[in-house]
Amino acid sequence: MDGAVVLSTDGTRITRANVHLVPDPSLPAVETGTRHRAAERTARHTGVPAVAVSASMTTVTVYAAGQARVLADPVVLLARADQTVATMERHGARTARARARLDRAEIGGYAAVRDVITMAQRLLRLERLGTELAELTVEMGEYGRQTTLQLEELLSDTPDELWGLVADYLMVDQTGMDPADADSPALPTAEQVETGLERLTVLSDADLLLPGPVARCLGLPAEPEDLDDQVSARGYRMLAHIPRLRPVQIAALVERFGSVSALLAAEQADFADVEGVGSLWARHVRQRLTGLVTG
């Protein structure tokens, strides 16, 4: 049998076998072999993935969305996945050290543009490695279950950490603000934070290695001589480290105090006065912040 096998939409049943496929011959095709060309055009014609298996070449090719992908041997994919996991583990350790440095700088009041950029670069590289590994696990199929669990562990808090970093340091246009509020920097909206994240995400790998493009995505000073300028965190990222503290409480605390230095200087009673926090959570927040300073 050298005809096509047609599966049901959910892939659980064979609905036809030994089928002669006749796709539109005017559709473009780069393949030269009869079966592979038929599979390529069928995928374009129907909008449904087509798979061509070659016993002589020992290859399996998937055609979908106008693209062709030759599936690699699972042993090869497992080796690549193991290498990527090892790279992510090493990079994750460096990211943890960068995070600890930024934490200390924020608490000490000497955080600089350079610290923020380094942290953003580490997090973004880790996310990109995670994307590569996720694509591998899809291709690995059932062989990728263990790798998927490793990926979830390696990226457990990376998206939230990156969101908090952007929310902390994204510069917001204060044009038109009441002069009386000049001493209270404007807080970014969720949409502005998402826009900042998108700008960072679309940076090329080459630009991600440079401090200037990363700084400009956040609206921070981008010249080499500006990298040691001090910056102040709003407190989103630090408050997110407090277990079980809800996003709405974090937003209320940042809106009230506006900076890490103000949060560290506040008393328990000050936290209790914030709507949605209350005395019980105020004690929890005060204890955790004190632990960050002394720990």
Side-chain angles (χ1 to χ4, degrees):
M1 186 182 73
D2 200 27
V5 174
V6 182
L7 303 183
S8 59
T9 303
D10 60 7
T12 61
R13 292 181 299 109
I14 294 176
T15 60
R16 297 287 189 278
N18 199 22
V19 175
H20 180 58
L21 300 177
V22 188
D24 184 350
S26 66
L27 291 172
V30 297
E31 296 287 4
T32 56
T34 302
R35 283 178 300 151
H36 287 75
R37 186 167 63 249
E40 181 182 6
R41 284 179 171 157
T42 297
R44 293 180 183 275
H45 190 154
T46 63
V48 175
V51 180
V53 180
S54 173
S56 61
M57 299 176 62
T58 64
T59 60
V60 177
T61 308
V62 179
Y63 300 93
Q67 299 182 36
R69 181 70 170 266
V70 179
L71 301 186
D73 186 283
V75 175
V76 175
L77 293 175
L78 282 169
R80 288 170 55 190
D82 287 343
Q83 291 177 346
T84 305
V85 167
T87 302
M88 289 187 68
E89 288 174 341
R90 292 193 298 271
H91 197 78
R94 290 195 290 269
T95 303
R97 290 194 292 270
R99 169 179 163 175
R101 285 196 298 271
L102 182 57
D103 286 346
R104 290 193 298 269
E106 288 179 353
I107 292 170
Y110 57 84
V113 174
R114 187 188 309 276
D115 301 316
V116 178
I117 292 174
T118 299
M119 187 62 183
Q121 289 171 322
R122 295 274 189 246
L123 291 169
L124 287 165
R125 288 174 193 163
L126 195 58
E127 276 203 336
R128 292 185 183 189
L129 285 169
T131 299
E132 293 177 14
L133 188 57
E135 291 175 355
L136 277 175
T137 59
V138 171
E139 192 169 345
M140 290 162 67
E142 63 180 11
Y143 296 98
R145 293 175 183 173
Q146 182 63 36
T147 305
T148 299
L149 295 176
Q150 291 176 293
L151 176 60
E152 291 175 356
E153 180 66 24
L154 290 167
L155 290 181
S156 57
D157 61 350
T158 300
D160 292 338
E161 188 79 9
L162 186 56
W163 195 98
L165 186 74
V166 175
D168 267 350
Y169 292 102
L170 181 68
M171 294 295 101
V172 179
D173 185 7
Q174 294 181 261
T175 303
M177 282 187 61
D178 188 332
D181 297 330
D183 294 332
S184 302
L187 300 178
T189 64
E191 290 76 13
Q192 288 171 323
V193 174
E194 291 299 330
T195 299
L197 284 169
E198 289 174 7
R199 289 198 294 263
L200 289 169
T201 302
V202 299
L203 285 175
S204 67
D205 290 339
D207 282 341
L208 186 57
L209 294 173
L210 304 173
V214 177
R216 281 188 283 272
C217 287
L218 298 174
L220 295 172
E223 298 303 320
E225 61 270 19
D226 298 326
L227 297 182
D228 291 320
D229 288 358
Q230 289 193 1
V231 288
S232 176
R234 297 182 175 100
Y236 288 104
R237 195 178 62 87
M238 184 169 289
L239 288 171
H241 294 170
I242 298 177
R244 300 186 302 280
L245 194 62
R246 299 190 300 273
V248 65
Q249 294 172 312
I250 293 174
L253 287 166
V254 172
E255 185 175 358
R256 168 68 70 85
F257 297 100
S259 69
V260 166
S261 58
L263 284 165
L264 296 175
E267 300 292 338
Q268 180 174 323
D270 299 325
F271 294 141
D273 288 338
V274 177
E275 184 176 356
V277 177
S279 58
L280 185 62
W281 279 105
R283 179 182 177 184
H284 179 58
V285 171
R286 181 66 272 165
Q287 287 177 340
R288 288 291 179 168
L289 291 178
T290 300
L292 288 174
V293 174
T294 59

